[in-house]
C-alpha cells in the first residue's frame, strides 16, 4: 500500500513512510515569491501611469500658458478688438506699452514706468518677450530661458500694478484683492515649474532640442 504504512519486524514495530507516486490534493501554502513579484509589477505600472498623467498635465499647462503669451502678442500686433482695439495695433503705429505703463497709478516705480510708456525700446522688448516666451512654451524648447524672461516680465508687471497698495496716487481705493499673490505671481511660478519639470518633453520638441550639440554644452538653454 502506498502512502504511510506500518511494517512489523521481529524486534518491534517501525513506521515506514513511502513516497506517493502522485501529488496529493491537500492544502497548499500560497507562493509568497510570486505574490511579491506581482505586487512589484503593480507598483511599477502604477508609477508609470502616474508619471504619464503628470507629464500630460504639465504639457497641458505649458500649451495653455504659451497660448496666453502668444495671444497677447497677436492681439497687440494686429488689434483683434479684444484688449487692443482695431486701429490701435502695433502695425497701425500704436504702442503696446503706452496704455499700460502710462496708466500706472501706484507703487515706487510709478514715475519710472510713465517715462518708459510708449518708448520704442520698451515696445520692442515687451513684444519680443511675449513672442519668444509664447513660442518657447508652445514648442517645448528653451523653457529655462522662457522661465527667466517670463519671470522678469511678470515681476515688472506686478510692480506696475502694485497689489500691496490700498490706495492709488490720487487717493482712490486700489481695489487690490491680495497684497502679494495675484495672477502675475502665479504665471511666474508656473513658468519655473514647467522648466523644472522638463514639460517640453511631452507633446513638444523638448527632447529633440536637448539633443542638439550646442544645447548639450549649455544646459541653461534647455
Amino acid at each position: 500500500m502506498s502512502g504511510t504504512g506500518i511494517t512489523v519486524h521481529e524486534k518491534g514495530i517501525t513506521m515506514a513512510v513511502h513516497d506517493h507516486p502522485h501529488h496529493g490534493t491537500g492544502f497548499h501554502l500560497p507562493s509568497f515569491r510570486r505574490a511579491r513579484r506581482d505586487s512589484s509589477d503593480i507598483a511599477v505600472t502604477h508609477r508609470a501611469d502616474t508619471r504619464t498623467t503628470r507629464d500630460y498635465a504639465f504639457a497641458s499647462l505649458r500649451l495653455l500658458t504659451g497660448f496666453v503669451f502668444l495671444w497677447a502678442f497677436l492681439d497687440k500686433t494686429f488689434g483683434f478688438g479684444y484688449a487692443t482695439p482695431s486701429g490701435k495695433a502695433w502695425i497701425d503705429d500704436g504702442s503696446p506699452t503706452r496704455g499700460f505703463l502710462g496708466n500706472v497709478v501706484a507703487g515706487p516705480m510709478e514715475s519710472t514706468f510713465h517715462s518708459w510708456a510708449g518708448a520704442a525700446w520698451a515696445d520692442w522688448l515687451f513684444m519680443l518677450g511675449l513672442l519668444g516666451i509664447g513660442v518657447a512654451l508652445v514648442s517645448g524648447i528653451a523653457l529655462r530661458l522662457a522661465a527667466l524672461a517670463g519671470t522678469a516680465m511678470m515681476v515688472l508687471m506686478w510692480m506696475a500694478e502694485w497689489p500691496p497698495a490700498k490706495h492709488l496716487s490720487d487717493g482712490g481705493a486700489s481695489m487690490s484683492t491680495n497684497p502679494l499673490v495675484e495672477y502675475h505671481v502665479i504665471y511666474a511660478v508656473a513658468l519655473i515649474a514647467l522648466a523644472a519639470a522638463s514639460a517640453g518633453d511631452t507633446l513638444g520638441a523638448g527632447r529633440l532640442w536637448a539633443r542638439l550639440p550646442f544645447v548639450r554644452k549649455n544646459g541653461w538653454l534647455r
Side-chain angles (χ1 to χ4, degrees):
M1 177 179 179
S2 61
T4 301
I6 300 176
T7 304
V8 180
H9 296 283
E10 293 179 357
K11 295 182 179 180
I13 300 175
T14 60
M15 297 294 295
V17 180
H18 304 284
D19 294 331
H20 198 286
H22 303 288
H23 294 291
T25 59
F27 175 75
H28 295 281
L29 292 174
S31 174
F32 292 104
R33 179 178 301 175
R34 180 173 182 178
R36 286 194 298 270
R37 184 168 60 251
D38 292 345
S39 177
S40 177
D41 292 343
I42 293 173
V44 170
T45 301
H46 175 71
R47 286 196 298 271
D49 291 342
T50 301
R51 186 164 54 249
T52 300
T53 302
R54 182 197 64 188
D55 292 342
Y56 278 106
F58 273 113
S60 299
L61 176 62
R62 171 179 59 81
L63 291 170
L64 292 172
T65 307
F67 180 73
V68 170
F69 282 88
L70 275 183
W71 177 261
F73 169 80
L74 294 172
D75 184 56
K76 292 180 183 300
T77 299
F78 300 106
F80 293 146
Y82 290 90
T84 305
S86 178
K88 293 186 178 181
W90 199 23
I91 60 172
D92 299 318
D93 294 329
S95 171
T97 63
R98 182 178 292 115
F100 179 67
L101 295 181
N103 290 317
V104 172
V105 289
M109 294 186 64
E110 180 179 348
S111 60
T112 301
F113 286 132
H114 287 174
S115 67
W116 292 356
W121 64 267
D123 289 343
W124 276 95
L125 280 179
F126 181 57
M127 295 299 284
L128 289 177
L130 290 176
L131 177 62
I133 296 167
V135 170
L137 290 174
V138 171
S139 64
I141 66 174
L143 294 186
R144 294 180 182 179
L145 283 176
L148 179 62
T151 298
M153 181 183 291
M154 292 301 105
V155 168
L156 288 172
M157 295 180 75
W158 183 88
M159 295 184 70
E161 295 196 2
W162 199 246
K166 292 182 179 180
H167 299 89
L168 305 177
S169 56
D170 61 3
S174 68
M175 303 301 291
S176 175
T177 58
N178 191 304
L180 296 176
V181 181
E182 41 80 83
Y183 68 100
H184 293 109
V185 176
I186 302 301
Y187 278 131
V189 173
L191 289 171
I192 295 171
L194 291 172
S198 298
D201 293 353
T202 302
L203 300 179
R207 294 185 188 277
L208 295 175
W209 174 258
R211 294 193 188 105
L212 297 177
F214 68 91
V215 177
R216 287 203 303 266
K217 294 179 181 178
N218 301 279
W220 55 273
L221 292 174
R222 287 288 305 273

